[in-house]
mmCIF file of all heavy atoms in Angstrom:
data_model
loop_
_atom_site.group_PDB
_atom_site.id
_atom_site.type_symbol
_atom_site.label_atom_id
_atom_site.label_comp_id
_atom_site.label_asym_id
_atom_site.label_seq_id
_atom_site.Cartn_x
_atom_site.Cartn_y
_atom_site.Cartn_z
ATOM 1 N N ARG A 119 9.374 8.350 -18.210
ATOM 2 C CA ARG A 119 8.280 9.255 -18.562
ATOM 3 C C ARG A 119 7.165 9.244 -17.500
ATOM 4 O O ARG A 119 6.390 10.188 -17.426
ATOM 5 C CB ARG A 119 7.719 8.884 -19.924
ATOM 6 C CG ARG A 119 7.274 7.434 -20.006
ATOM 7 C CD ARG A 119 6.946 6.992 -21.413
ATOM 8 N NE ARG A 119 5.993 7.871 -22.032
ATOM 9 C CZ ARG A 119 6.162 8.424 -23.224
ATOM 10 N NH1 ARG A 119 7.255 8.209 -23.914
ATOM 11 N NH2 ARG A 119 5.246 9.193 -23.735
ATOM 12 N N PRO A 142 -17.490 11.052 2.367
ATOM 13 C CA PRO A 142 -17.309 10.545 3.723
ATOM 14 C C PRO A 142 -15.843 10.205 4.038
ATOM 15 O O PRO A 142 -15.540 9.769 5.137
ATOM 16 C CB PRO A 142 -18.147 9.280 3.715
ATOM 17 C CG PRO A 142 -18.086 8.820 2.304
ATOM 18 C CD PRO A 142 -17.971 10.035 1.441
ATOM 19 N N PHE A 144 -11.855 10.738 4.719
ATOM 20 C CA PHE A 144 -10.751 11.608 5.090
ATOM 21 C C PHE A 144 -9.493 11.133 4.398
ATOM 22 O O PHE A 144 -9.230 9.932 4.393
ATOM 23 C CB PHE A 144 -10.416 11.432 6.578
ATOM 24 C CG PHE A 144 -11.161 12.334 7.496
ATOM 25 C CD1 PHE A 144 -12.137 11.825 8.325
ATOM 26 C CD2 PHE A 144 -10.856 13.675 7.544
ATOM 27 C CE1 PHE A 144 -12.806 12.636 9.210
ATOM 28 C CE2 PHE A 144 -11.521 14.496 8.429
ATOM 29 C CZ PHE A 144 -12.511 13.984 9.264
ATOM 30 N N TRP A 302 2.823 4.482 0.236
ATOM 31 C CA TRP A 302 2.325 3.184 -0.262
ATOM 32 C C TRP A 302 0.890 3.342 -0.801
ATOM 33 O O TRP A 302 0.558 2.850 -1.871
ATOM 34 C CB TRP A 302 2.370 2.171 0.876
ATOM 35 C CG TRP A 302 2.269 0.746 0.425
ATOM 36 C CD1 TRP A 302 1.206 -0.073 0.581
ATOM 37 C CD2 TRP A 302 3.276 -0.005 -0.254
ATOM 38 N NE1 TRP A 302 1.486 -1.307 0.041
ATOM 39 C CE2 TRP A 302 2.751 -1.293 -0.489
ATOM 40 C CE3 TRP A 302 4.573 0.272 -0.704
ATOM 41 C CZ2 TRP A 302 3.466 -2.291 -1.135
ATOM 42 C CZ3 TRP A 302 5.275 -0.729 -1.350
ATOM 43 C CH2 TRP A 302 4.728 -1.981 -1.559
ATOM 44 N N GLY A 305 0.788 5.256 -4.027
ATOM 45 C CA GLY A 305 1.222 4.374 -5.115
ATOM 46 C C GLY A 305 0.085 3.477 -5.571
ATOM 47 O O GLY A 305 -0.142 3.285 -6.768
ATOM 48 N N ASP A 306 -0.682 2.954 -4.600
ATOM 49 C CA ASP A 306 -1.820 2.078 -4.915
ATOM 50 C C ASP A 306 -2.870 2.795 -5.744
ATOM 51 O O ASP A 306 -3.556 2.201 -6.561
ATOM 52 C CB ASP A 306 -2.486 1.613 -3.617
ATOM 53 C CG ASP A 306 -1.968 0.258 -3.190
ATOM 54 O OD1 ASP A 306 -1.090 -0.275 -3.878
ATOM 55 O OD2 ASP A 306 -2.440 -0.260 -2.165
ATOM 56 N N LEU A 307 -3.035 4.089 -5.458
ATOM 57 C CA LEU A 307 -4.062 4.861 -6.169
ATOM 58 C C LEU A 307 -3.551 5.429 -7.489
ATOM 59 O O LEU A 307 -4.291 6.083 -8.210
ATOM 60 C CB LEU A 307 -4.554 6.016 -5.296
ATOM 61 C CG LEU A 307 -5.542 5.645 -4.193
ATOM 62 C CD1 LEU A 307 -5.815 6.842 -3.311
ATOM 63 C CD2 LEU A 307 -6.857 5.138 -4.791
ATOM 64 N N TYR A 310 1.053 9.306 -8.306
ATOM 65 C CA TYR A 310 2.514 9.227 -8.221
ATOM 66 C C TYR A 310 3.162 10.544 -7.787
ATOM 67 O O TYR A 310 4.219 10.534 -7.161
ATOM 68 C CB TYR A 310 3.097 8.739 -9.546
ATOM 69 C CG TYR A 310 2.488 7.415 -9.961
ATOM 70 C CD1 TYR A 310 1.649 7.317 -11.066
ATOM 71 C CD2 TYR A 310 2.718 6.266 -9.206
ATOM 72 C CE1 TYR A 310 1.056 6.118 -11.414
ATOM 73 C CE2 TYR A 310 2.132 5.066 -9.542
ATOM 74 C CZ TYR A 310 1.299 4.993 -10.652
ATOM 75 O OH TYR A 310 0.713 3.804 -10.988
ATOM 76 N N LYS B 236 -5.242 -0.800 5.276
ATOM 77 C CA LYS B 236 -5.020 -1.782 4.224
ATOM 78 C C LYS B 236 -4.333 -3.035 4.767
ATOM 79 O O LYS B 236 -3.379 -2.939 5.528
ATOM 80 C CB LYS B 236 -4.127 -1.140 3.162
ATOM 81 C CG LYS B 236 -3.846 -2.008 1.981
ATOM 82 C CD LYS B 236 -2.861 -1.320 1.078
ATOM 83 C CE LYS B 236 -2.168 -2.347 0.217
ATOM 84 N NZ LYS B 236 -1.130 -1.767 -0.613
ATOM 85 N N GLN B 474 -1.060 -1.915 -12.593
ATOM 86 C CA GLN B 474 0.236 -1.225 -12.680
ATOM 87 C C GLN B 474 1.349 -2.140 -13.178
ATOM 88 O O GLN B 474 2.158 -1.745 -14.006
ATOM 89 C CB GLN B 474 0.628 -0.667 -11.301
ATOM 90 C CG GLN B 474 -0.256 0.467 -10.846
ATOM 91 C CD GLN B 474 -0.077 0.773 -9.363
ATOM 92 O OE1 GLN B 474 -0.033 -0.131 -8.529
ATOM 93 N NE2 GLN B 474 0.015 2.030 -9.021
ATOM 94 N N HIS B 495 -7.054 3.134 -12.618
ATOM 95 C CA HIS B 495 -5.695 3.119 -13.170
ATOM 96 C C HIS B 495 -5.661 3.337 -14.666
ATOM 97 O O HIS B 495 -4.620 3.681 -15.204
ATOM 98 C CB HIS B 495 -4.976 1.835 -12.745
ATOM 99 C CG HIS B 495 -4.628 1.862 -11.290
ATOM 100 N ND1 HIS B 495 -3.518 2.511 -10.812
ATOM 101 C CD2 HIS B 495 -5.292 1.400 -10.201
ATOM 102 C CE1 HIS B 495 -3.494 2.417 -9.494
ATOM 103 N NE2 HIS B 495 -4.567 1.753 -9.104
ATOM 104 N N ASN B 498 -5.384 7.184 -13.733
ATOM 105 C CA ASN B 498 -4.265 7.662 -12.902
ATOM 106 C C ASN B 498 -2.908 7.107 -13.319
ATOM 107 O O ASN B 498 -1.898 7.788 -13.180
ATOM 108 C CB ASN B 498 -4.505 7.287 -11.435
ATOM 109 C CG ASN B 498 -5.564 8.150 -10.786
ATOM 110 O OD1 ASN B 498 -6.187 8.974 -11.450
ATOM 111 N ND2 ASN B 498 -5.786 7.964 -9.507
ATOM 112 N N SER B 499 -2.860 5.867 -13.785
ATOM 113 C CA SER B 499 -1.561 5.263 -14.115
ATOM 114 C C SER B 499 -1.268 5.335 -15.604
ATOM 115 O O SER B 499 -0.296 4.739 -16.069
ATOM 116 C CB SER B 499 -1.529 3.795 -13.666
ATOM 117 O OG SER B 499 -1.576 3.714 -12.273
ATOM 118 N N ASP B 501 -0.129 6.801 -19.191
ATOM 119 C CA ASP B 501 0.629 7.812 -19.916
ATOM 120 C C ASP B 501 -0.170 8.025 -21.207
ATOM 121 O O ASP B 501 -0.103 7.204 -22.123
ATOM 122 C CB ASP B 501 2.032 7.261 -20.192
ATOM 123 C CG ASP B 501 2.835 8.185 -21.088
ATOM 124 O OD1 ASP B 501 2.286 9.212 -21.536
ATOM 125 O OD2 ASP B 501 4.014 7.873 -21.335
ATOM 126 N N SER B 503 0.009 9.832 -23.714
ATOM 127 C CA SER B 503 0.646 9.968 -25.036
ATOM 128 C C SER B 503 0.818 8.587 -25.664
ATOM 129 O O SER B 503 0.927 8.451 -26.869
ATOM 130 C CB SER B 503 1.984 10.677 -24.901
ATOM 131 O OG SER B 503 2.854 9.885 -24.126
ATOM 132 N N VAL B 563 -14.779 8.257 7.210
ATOM 133 C CA VAL B 563 -13.807 7.171 7.124
ATOM 134 C C VAL B 563 -12.441 7.782 6.846
ATOM 135 O O VAL B 563 -12.331 8.654 5.976
ATOM 136 C CB VAL B 563 -14.187 6.243 5.940
ATOM 137 C CG1 VAL B 563 -13.110 5.214 5.695
ATOM 138 C CG2 VAL B 563 -15.523 5.570 6.187
#
Side-chain angles (χ1 to χ4, degrees):
Chain A
R119 55 190 307 129
F144 270 109
W302 196 252
D306 264 2
L307 282 173
Y310 305 111
Chain B
K236 182 185 158 184
Q474 291 166 315
H495 288 278
N498 286 5
S499 293
D501 173 357
S503 64
V563 172

